[in-house]
Amino acid sequence: MKPEAPRIDMPSTANVGEIIMIRTKIRHIMETGWRKTSEGATVERNRLTKFTCSFEGQEVVTADLGSGVSQDPYFTFYAKVTKAGSFSFRWEGDNGQDITETIPVVISEEKV
Amino acid sequence: MSNAKITERHFSRRDVLGLGGAVVMMTLMGETPVLASPKDVKSKLAELADGAYQQKGRVSILLPTLTQDGKRTRIQVAVESPMTEDDYVKSVHILAERNTEPEVASYHFTPMSGKCEFVTRMRVAKSQTIVVAAENSDGSFYVAKARCKVARGAGGCG
């Protein structure tokens, strides 16, 4: 499977104090390490174990992902925008996997 | 007449009891090493609550009552909370009673979250009860349960 950038859907502008919805999806097999091939060999464990979303260095949401999280982990959550800045997303997994993505948010000037 | 019919089947009390015992043994032997049991979830909850009273309410779960795809079942959780510095939801844990491992995922929130609500997709190995526990910053502990039936052959743990 080709490595693919995580898909993150969130508004690019927001008002101060607004709570925005962030939808994230990352392509990952999330192999539990219990499955066996038809030859009987165990498929090696390959999971994402930790997800972190932070805003300007401050943690917003973190998640410990277990075996029950499905393939291509999808996660929708909310975050409060206090100022202009950028959200950074980080997924960590087995064998030192580390995927990061940063998305900026601009404060809309029309509505005060 | 009816009595005669029953004796024709030749099922004694001992046979019936023995059969029941065999079925119980088979399920015990077949499942114990593979899947978790509601007992595991109970002990996990006690560990997470750490002495706090496990209250009902505040947590709502949206989960299909019947799913055709246990590999990726959508679960939506919402916890009522003002999400301020003084009172916010610290963690939300999803536990599955009959998955291989009961711990599905734990989510940790901060006042920066604004709203404690999320959607994710989880694996459901077979028809079972999903337990969601919310830990608040003031130490209170809320638990909610939802039942999810998995269509035959659509179980989700690989």
Side-chain angles (χ1 to χ4, degrees):
Chain A
M1 210 181 282
K2 259 193 273 175
E4 203 178 299
R7 285 167 64 180
I8 297 164
D9 183 15
M10 58 183 266
S12 52
T13 59
N15 294 327
V16 173
E18 194 183 332
I19 296 167
I20 58 167
M21 184 170 87
I22 303 175
R23 301 195 292 167
T24 63
K25 190 186 161 188
I26 182 164
R27 247 192 193 289
H28 200 278
I29 187 137
M30 293 296 273
E31 191 61 65
T32 54
W34 306 321
R35 211 161 55 89
K36 290 203 169 130
T37 58
S38 52
E39 285 85 38
T42 312
V43 182
E44 203 187 324
R45 182 187 140 142
N46 178 13
R47 286 190 213 159
L48 291 175
T49 48
K50 200 163 167 54
F51 167 72
T52 315
C53 169
S54 47
F55 179 68
E56 294 291 310
Q58 214 179 338
E59 270 182 8
V60 178
V61 174
T62 57
D64 300 321
L65 310 176
S67 60
V69 175
S70 66
Q71 188 180 341
D72 300 344
Y74 169 81
F75 183 41
T76 298
F77 58 96
Y78 293 85
K80 206 190 226 167
V81 180
T82 47
K83 56 182 178 186
S86 51
F87 281 95
S88 61
F89 305 88
R90 186 175 182 198
W91 286 266
E92 289 161 84
D94 295 339
N95 311 321
Q97 291 175 78
D98 196 340
I99 303 141
T100 47
E101 186 89 16
T102 306
I103 295 182
V105 164
V106 177
I107 298 297
S108 52
E109 285 161 3
E110 305 146 22
K111 296 171 211 164
V112 178
Chain B
M1 273 305 279
S2 60
N3 280 347
K5 259 185 190 173
I6 288 169
T7 46
E8 267 169 35
R9 287 180 189 160
H10 303 295
F11 271 126
S12 71
R13 184 182 142 84
R14 186 170 295 176
D15 285 341
V16 173
L17 285 175
L19 197 73
V23 169
V24 167
M25 277 305 286
M26 275 166 71
T27 40
L28 279 178
M29 282 161 69
E31 280 183 14
T32 319
V34 187
L35 298 173
S37 72
K39 250 187 197 167
D40 295 325
V41 168
K42 224 174 174 181
S43 59
K44 183 81 193 162
L45 275 178
E47 190 191 314
L48 290 168
D50 198 21
Y53 177 62
Q54 297 179 17
Q55 301 174 73
K56 279 183 185 172
R58 284 214 197 177
V59 182
S60 55
I61 312 170
L62 198 67
L63 188 75
T65 46
L66 172 70
T67 177
Q68 296 287 343
D69 195 355
K71 274 186 173 178
R72 49 188 80 193
T73 306
R74 185 183 188 275
I75 177 168
Q76 183 174 350
V77 177
V79 185
E80 278 175 41
S81 169
M83 294 304 271
T84 56
E85 289 286 344
D86 314 319
D87 182 11
Y88 65 94
V89 180
K90 264 206 309 201
S91 312
V92 176
H93 308 275
I94 303 180
L95 304 168
E97 286 190 347
R98 291 192 191 276
N99 270 7
T100 319
E101 264 177 9
E103 299 93 350
V104 174
S106 299
Y107 299 94
H108 310 288
F109 297 88
T110 59
M112 288 281 288
S113 307
K115 184 150 96 164
C116 186
E117 206 178 306
F118 65 91
V119 184
T120 189
R121 289 191 201 135
M122 63 175 286
R123 290 178 172 138
V124 187
K126 57 190 274 192
S127 300
Q128 58 177 305
T129 304
I130 308 297
V131 181
V132 176
E135 248 179 277
N136 286 354
S137 59
D138 59 0
S140 56
F141 197 83
Y142 288 87
V143 178
K145 290 179 183 184
R147 186 120 180 108
C148 183
K149 217 169 172 186
V150 180
R152 182 170 266 264
C157 272

